Amino acid sequence: MYKRILLKLSGEVLSGENKKGFDDEALDYLAKEIKDVVKNGLKLGMVIGAGNLFRGRELQDVTNSIGDHIGMLGTVINALYLKDYFEKKGIKTVVVSQIVNLPSVRIIHYDDIELYFNAGYVVIFAGGTSNPFFTTDTAAALRAVEMKADVLIKATKVDGIYDKDPKKFNNAKKYDKITYDDAINLGLKIMDTEAFSICKRYKMPIIVLNFFKNGNLLKAITDFNVGTFVKP
């Protein structure tokens, strides 16, 4: 069983599919899945996107670097919203980031992160990589390495990695296991190349799963037979 997990979520998890903002039903489901992990004594870090607020293609008239800065701030908004929601559900949560100076956000210090985990906190890493031109997938890979995670779990709407979109092609082939190199060489779009490269360099295993199936997150952590496993 993995003991230390970095969970990468899209902003859509907070709003519901193809919606914007925050949806109580979606948030309640997320809190339940997270609570099931935490009550088993596991150390959980999270990185969340900002697609429920806006996506890059919606900021096409904005300079790329400025658009990325706006997106990073969106992840801080989501992290703070989650912190408040989780704590009302009895989940101790701390938000850490390098890009803002707010009383409710703490600067990232490795020693402090270890203290948060040992005290039973979920740690939400906000603000992406703190630099423009990198996705939250890359941020998740970076934070997974920094927190010495046993595994990076990418939460999606499908039950793993396929050779093409299973929602469009009935003959799409699912990979139960795949190497970093194959994922990169085949151009599989489940994570970007930079994220795969970081995970490969530091031998960080990845599980890609359907987050919207009840209990899938805890099952992936405890019995390993969920989604697609990406390995050396």
Side-chain angles (χ1 to χ4, degrees), residues 36-179:
D36 286 345
V37 170
V38 173
K39 71 183 183 183
N40 278 276
L42 305 175
K43 295 177 172 62
L44 182 66
M46 295 173 59
V47 168
I48 189 156
N52 60 311
L53 302 176
F54 35 68
R55 295 187 179 278
R57 62 177 177 268
E58 298 165 355
L59 303 172
Q60 54 187 318
D61 294 329
V62 177
T63 304
N64 287 341
S65 58
I66 297 299
D68 285 349
H69 289 156
I70 293 170
M72 286 190 281
L73 289 171
T75 69
V76 177
I77 292 170
N78 279 342
L80 289 173
Y81 198 100
L82 272 185
K83 170 182 167 63
D84 189 66
Y85 195 90
F86 282 176
E87 290 186 338
K88 288 174 180 175
K89 297 289 185 179
I91 303 168
K92 295 195 297 183
T93 308
V94 61
V95 176
V96 298
S97 178
Q98 296 293 91
I99 71 165
V100 294
N101 182 17
L102 294 170
S104 50
V105 179
R106 305 186 186 186
I107 297 297
I108 297 174
H109 290 296
Y110 294 154
D111 291 344
D112 289 346
I113 289 170
E114 198 62 32
L115 291 173
Y116 300 146
F117 282 139
N118 289 338
Y121 282 84
V122 171
V123 178
I124 304 179
F125 297 92
T129 65
S130 305
N131 294 291
F133 312 118
F134 294 98
T135 68
T136 49
D137 279 349
T138 302
L142 174 65
R143 302 309 178 198
V145 173
E146 287 183 319
M147 67 172 268
K148 301 177 183 176
D150 298 320
V151 65
L152 189 166
I153 295 180
K154 172 75 181 282
T156 71
K157 296 177 287 187
V158 295
D159 61 340
I161 299 176
Y162 286 77
D163 62 346
K164 48 193 169 186
D165 190 341
K167 293 187 175 181
K168 296 180 180 178
F169 301 95
N170 292 330
N171 63 341
K173 172 189 172 185
K174 181 190 172 189
Y175 300 99
D176 291 325
K177 294 182 180 180
I178 192 169
T179 66

